[in-house]
Amino acid sequence: MHKKFSKLGYILAMAGSAIGLGNAWKFPTMTGNHGGFAFIFLYFVLTILIACVAFLAEAGIGRLSGKDTPKALIELAPKGQRFWGLGGFFMITALLIASFYLVVIGWILYYACLSIAGLPASTDEAGKLFDSLIKNNLTSVLSCYFAVLFITFYTVSRGIKEGIEKLNFILMPSLFILLIVILIYSFTFNSSGFSGAVSFIFTPDFSKILDPELILAAMGLALFSLSLGVGTVSTYGASLGEDTNLFKSLLYIVGLNICMGILMGLVVFSFVQVAPGASANEGPGLIFVSLASLFGELGAVGSALGFMFFISLLFAGITSAVSMIEPAVRYFEDEKGISRIKSSAILGVLVFGLGVLCVLSFYEPTKESFAIFGKSIFDILDYATSNVLMPLGVLFFSIFAGWIMPKERFYTLFLNYAPKFAVDIWYFILRFILPILVVGIGIYRLN
Ligand code: PHE
């Protein structure tokens, strides 16, 4: 018999999965550059309308069967249609994401250590340092990558209760406290920076949100951020306690996810000041160059702030990475009878190997040989997973839940948590609106 999450354990573990690098370096920048609070509003609406609908379907599949993803699909499909189980292999997407995501968490670990030793004090120096880290410093990159990968797989090998739930119980509150401490510092000693960040993030400019490109980007982010379409949500759903109210938990998860995005945004932009009307960088340029050098300029205080900031990113990243691995480990454990420890070890080696390819695709001496059509393996994996495989996974789960599974299965479960009209609306969006929108994003993005 598998152990189940406690009520709070589920909320924290799922919020831990949701809150990750997406919140840290995509959400703040998109918010600031695309209409501030207007963007938050748009993101919120899309999260509720689209991402939450997909979430309930995927989590419902896990909860109704209590099995690993391929088995759940086989069990819930009509008799004689075992082939639907193949959809469970979307969990490979999660392993692919883990391989490059953990490389980035490795860089974050390196920067946490660097904060103690001293961060570069100018943007120029910081840019050169980041460049030389990924292009020349193979030993540091690989050892940090290995360290974070080991923590991730070790946690998963310990199981739902002893591993994943415990990790999230410690890291999620710590993440929150660290961000609040940095914000209190900023509010007290850096008040002009703080108010700049507030106006960058909260000034609504509704003229910018009607851009279709932006709507699609916001929707992509909403799906990525709720960890949808890769078996994470269904696998965590399979470990949901009997007495957990899925709808209520989802409200907390989404609330925490958005709040953390806003907190991260306030932290980042209270240091990285962006002039009104100008745009901010996103991704590595924002975190490892702009922000790192600003902490560097602040001397000892900056070291402490930088350390807290990078540790909080590390925590956010690791709790997400763990949730990318659990689906496959659970599958090996249940279907193939391989112990958790053994399957974590085997998958660990596989993911490590893939991640090394990503690392080598940045490393100067091997860069050329690890590029395909002029793109690094890292970029290819990033693009293929977030723009192709994840949306396909979301599409698959929503079609399966809306068109293949008998309607009563969901109704019987969900009517315990919500009134009938709410379940009817959910089912309508699931069947008609969600697939059209996801296909729409797909076609638009691939163009
Ligand atoms: N939601 C995570 C983030 O925003 C990423 C993630 C994707 C986690 C897929 C698990 C599965 O960073």
Side-chain angles (χ1 to χ4, degrees):
M1 198 40 205
H2 282 287
K3 296 219 170 105
K4 306 262 188 209
F5 284 121
S6 65
K7 271 187 203 171
L8 183 61
Y10 176 71
I11 294 175
L12 287 182
M14 206 49 246
S17 168
I19 298 162
L21 302 183
N23 300 58
W25 70 31
K26 277 225 171 283
F27 179 78
T29 315
M30 283 176 115
T31 305
N33 291 349
H34 301 292
F37 200 70
F39 176 82
I40 297 184
F41 177 75
L42 172 72
Y43 177 78
F44 187 72
V45 170
L46 289 172
T47 297
I48 299 292
L49 261 179
I50 307 301
C52 285
V53 169
F55 184 97
L56 287 171
E58 197 181 323
I61 289 173
R63 169 74 177 74
L64 283 168
S65 68
K67 300 277 164 49
D68 63 275
T69 312
K71 192 55 175 280
L73 294 167
I74 292 174
E75 253 189 40
L76 298 171
K79 290 236 159 338
Q81 300 191 9
R82 291 178 62 86
F83 59 85
W84 287 104
L86 291 175
F89 290 98
F90 275 112
M91 58 195 183
I92 293 174
T93 312
L95 295 176
L96 296 178
I97 299 177
S99 67
F100 68 85
Y101 201 88
L102 280 162
V103 171
V104 179
I105 305 177
W107 299 342
I108 291 171
L109 174 64
Y110 180 82
Y111 272 76
C113 303
L114 198 66
S115 310
I116 304 171
L119 287 163
S122 72
T123 326
D124 226 27
E125 257 180 78
K128 283 195 192 120
L129 184 104
F130 181 64
D131 236 34
S132 90
L133 171 71
I134 62 172
K135 288 192 180 148
N136 309 315
N137 197 344
L138 196 59
T139 327
S140 302
V141 171
L142 282 182
S143 29
C144 289
Y145 173 50
F146 181 76
V148 294
L149 183 117
F150 183 81
I151 300 172
T152 305
F153 281 84
Y154 176 73
T155 307
V156 178
S157 77
R158 305 269 301 153
I160 284 284
K161 269 265 181 247
E162 292 303 308
I164 300 179
E165 184 165 314
K166 224 179 211 171
L167 179 90
N168 279 288
F169 262 114
I170 303 170
L171 299 195
M172 292 309 286
S174 315
L175 162 67
F176 185 71
I177 294 169
L178 284 170
L179 290 179
I180 294 289
V181 171
I182 305 177
L183 272 186
I184 293 177
Y185 167 86
S186 187
F187 182 73
T188 324
F189 297 104
N190 172 28
S191 52
S192 68
F194 186 81
S195 51
V198 172
S199 70
F200 185 62
I201 289 186
F202 288 106
T203 310
D205 175 359
F206 280 94
S207 70
K208 289 193 181 165
I209 64 169
L210 289 174
D211 176 1
E213 179 97 31
L214 179 65
I215 298 180
L216 295 176
M219 187 141 65
L221 183 64
L223 299 178
F224 182 79
S225 197
L226 276 187
S227 315
L228 290 159
V230 298
T232 293
V233 174
S234 62
T235 306
Y236 275 15
S239 299
L240 206 61
E242 298 287 320
D243 56 346
T244 304
N245 180 331
L246 195 52
F247 280 60
K248 229 190 203 165
S249 310
L250 178 58
L251 277 186
Y252 285 115
I253 295 162
V254 166
L256 284 170
N257 191 27
I258 293 188
C259 285
M260 281 298 190
I262 295 177
L263 275 187
M264 295 260 193
L266 285 176
V267 166
V268 171
F269 293 116
S270 64
F271 293 97
V272 181
Q273 288 291 292
V274 184
S279 332
N281 273 332
E282 66 177 40
L286 177 67
I287 305 291
F288 298 117
V289 180
S290 311
L291 195 60
S293 65
L294 287 159
F295 285 141
E297 279 172 22
L298 290 177
V301 176
S303 287
L305 289 171
F307 182 71
M308 288 194 285
F309 178 74
F310 286 114
I311 290 290
S312 63
L313 279 195
L314 185 71
F315 288 178
I318 294 227
T319 50
S320 297
V322 161
S323 76
M324 296 169 192
I325 310 302
E326 171 64 15
V329 168
R330 175 79 188 251
Y331 167 75
F332 278 118
E333 190 189 14
D334 285 4
E335 302 302 310
K336 307 284 170 211
I338 305 175
S339 75
R340 259 188 175 265
I341 301 189
K342 215 168 179 185
S343 36
S344 304
I346 297 170
L347 288 168
V349 172
L350 268 174
V351 172
F352 184 73
L354 255 180
V356 169
L357 297 184
C358 293
V359 169
L360 293 178
S361 72
F362 286 126
Y363 185 51
E364 198 68 63
T366 48
K367 212 167 137 186
E368 301 295 312
S369 344
F370 287 89
I372 303 171
F373 300 126
K375 280 197 150 216
S376 70
I377 295 185
F378 184 101
D379 289 338
I380 291 172
L381 279 176
D382 183 13
Y383 184 86
T385 50
S386 28
N387 293 338
V388 185
L389 295 170
M390 269 183 112
L392 276 181
V394 172
L395 187 65
F396 173 85
F397 283 108
S398 56
I399 289 181
F400 183 80
W403 295 91
I404 307 299
M405 272 175 68
K407 181 176 168 184
E408 308 75 58
R409 295 300 303 265
F410 280 112
Y411 270 71
T412 324
L413 177 67
F414 288 174
L415 288 178
N416 296 322
Y417 312 134
K420 177 149 185 317
F421 80 90
V423 185
D424 283 340
I425 296 176
W426 167 79
Y427 201 60
F428 177 79
I429 299 179
L430 176 73
R431 281 168 68 100
F432 300 103
I433 301 186
L434 186 62
I436 295 175
L437 281 177
V438 175
V439 171
I441 312 182
I443 295 175
Y444 192 88
R445 280 283 175 90
L446 288 176
N447 274 330

